Amino acid sequence: MTREERLNMLNELFSTVLERDISLSEDDDNLAIQGWDSLAHLLIISLIEEKFGVKFALGEQQEMYKISTILDLIEEKISE
Amino acid sequence: MLFNSYIFIFAFLPCTFFVYFGLCKFDRFVWAKVWLVLASLFFYAYWDWKYVPLLVFSILFNYGISQFIISAKEKSKRKLYFLIGLIGNIALLCYFKYMDFFIGNFNALFDLHIDLLGIIIPLGISFFTITQIAYLVDCYEKIAVDRDFVNYALFVTYFPHLLAGPILHHKDMMKQFSDKSKGIINYENIVKGLFYFFIGLFKKVVIADQFGEWANIGYAQLSDGNLLNFFEAWTTVYAYAFQLYFDFSGYCDMALGASLMFNIKIPINFNSPFKATGMIDFWKRWHITLTNFITAYIYTPMLRSLGNITFNKAMACVLISFLIAGLWHGAGWNFIIYGLLHGIGLVVNHFWQKKTKIKMPKVLAWFITFHYVILTWIFFRAENLEIAKRMFESIVGEGGVVLPKVAEKYLSFDHIQFGGTFLELQLGFWDFGYFAFAFAICFFCKNSHEIVTKKLDTLKFLLFLVIITLASLLSVNKTTQFLYFNF
């Protein structure tokens, strides 16, 4: 999967959790996206773990408030 | 040692700075870091050298146990060492911070009279304990990579954050501590650092401490068993609100600025929280690193342990997490109530956002949020529930409604009394202007992070920096502690 394909996947996941159509860019973070609060964050991460077959440590989850960071971490985990 | 003291500004900071960069210049990078650790321990010792062994013990204990966690071959062993570490830290905190609270409640519950131990809370213990707990969790989850002891010691003791945060995350900090390029003096960072430092100092000594004087008068009267009249009560509530706001904002800026001079970026911990239009928004702006810690290491594992994630379970976890956060601030029922009220506020905010489709006008949302927060701070400031109760009675007018004498010329109604605001102090027109000034800063001005991203080599900026520096240095005569040192 390319980074862009993963970004599209994230669009789907975010849209599911936030209950509206979301189109993400790498610079987006939790301050830019309305509704991305602690609960949404947890749900999004659970979905990411499920869809990409990875697991994130608590310490990593607290860094995942930026789209580019999320993509970097996913790539890191998959290549492990 | 306090940031707002001449000894820190004119002796400690320059000395630490020059020796650090001097050592870096001669490629003694490790020695430079050791120097910073020693300087930080001295900074801590300046408050009370008798507690330095405690800090050192905490560092050695956590570093040691983390080594066991990391080298453990089986998961069960790893878990065991982690639990030992976790319990050890919590036990330390319980003993030094909560022992007398437990004893007091035990006495009340069972009608006993066990003597309190009179333990003094070591400065910063709440902070350096939870910082290291987070590190242990990361070791357990195998994401703590840097095991250099000097880096670890520096990570815990680093003086800009040692006493009242921000709560640092090791991953980001270790990376910076290992980066040799940071050992070269950077003039842009020094200018930005000085700006942050002096604007923080200004907020603390010129703004916060003045409001503190008024808030103290009001709360002292309540302590004496009296009520305040309606106007005095609200003046006190707003005064404390601005005191706490500018005190903590000032501290966060000073910490950031002091660190930036060493080319080390510490996280933003404060982002115009009085501009918040909801409780969720508030906690994304106030004590940001604490919110992140609670979310990552308390809320998340709690919610995940309850099976499939539902909205109601999440709300219960929010409540419990903030109860814990409240208790973390201090050993008292007033802090527990404070935490509970914030938990409730957050739950209401979540409900409103998710379950109702009603959009509240932003100004109303802001008004409610602001007042809800400053009213919860009555529990924060009042030494006990009795005093908090008196304040709540006062703000609804049970102590009488007396408007300040200065307003008599402008308003006169039959049933309104006019008199002094606070018996010893007649707050005049200019004093109330202080409130307007503070209000304007909180709500309309750019905050320090927004200012520092603009062009810094302008005359306007330089002039601003010089003025706030002079104004703050001239006011650093009464050394008052930062409020967050109490936690």
Side-chain angles (χ1 to χ4, degrees), chain A residues 17-19 30-31 33-43 45-47 49 55-63 65 73 76-77, chain B residues 137-138 141 143 169 171-172 271 280 284 289 292-293 295-297 299-301 303-304 309-311 314-315 318 350 353-354 357 359 362:
Chain A
V17 172
L18 299 176
E19 292 171 355
N30 67 320
L31 296 171
I33 309 266
Q34 262 272 31
W36 184 350
D37 55 31
S38 50
L39 175 57
H41 189 68
L42 241 167
L43 292 167
I45 290 181
S46 294
L47 282 176
E49 287 183 332
K55 264 220 152 324
F56 296 105
L58 296 175
E60 288 169 329
Q61 290 179 39
Q62 71 166 344
E63 294 177 332
Y65 285 101
L73 270 168
E76 224 179 271
K77 296 263 162 189
Chain B
V137 173
D138 287 355
E141 294 196 300
I143 60 167
H169 199 237
K171 193 165 170 191
D172 179 44
N271 188 19
I280 299 172
K284 281 188 186 168
T289 58
N292 290 343
F293 175 85
T295 308
Y297 295 102
Y299 170 78
T300 300
L303 185 51
R304 285 189 143 193
I309 300 169
T310 67
F311 183 77
M315 293 304 101
V318 166
H350 277 283
Q353 278 186 352
K354 299 228 162 52
K357 295 295 168 217
K359 276 217 162 286
K362 278 243 167 326

Side-chain angles (χ1 to χ4, degrees), chain B residues 282-353:
Chain B
F282 178 78
W283 282 100
K284 281 188 186 168
R285 295 168 174 276
W286 177 277
H287 213 166
I288 299 168
T289 58
L290 180 69
T291 308
N292 290 343
F293 175 85
I294 297 170
T295 308
Y297 295 102
I298 300 180
Y299 170 78
T300 300
M302 195 190 298
L303 185 51
R304 285 189 143 193
S305 71
L306 298 175
N308 68 317
I309 300 169
T310 67
F311 183 77
N312 292 339
K313 284 185 196 169
M315 293 304 101
C317 290
V318 166
L319 268 173
I320 298 171
S321 299
F322 267 81
L323 252 169
I324 295 172
L327 188 57
W328 173 83
H329 279 88
W333 284 105
N334 53 327
F335 289 107
I336 293 174
I337 292 174
Y338 165 77
L340 186 64
L341 287 173
H342 275 262
I344 291 171
L346 284 163
V347 169
V348 168
N349 198 172
H350 277 283
F351 256 103
W352 190 281
Q353 278 186 352

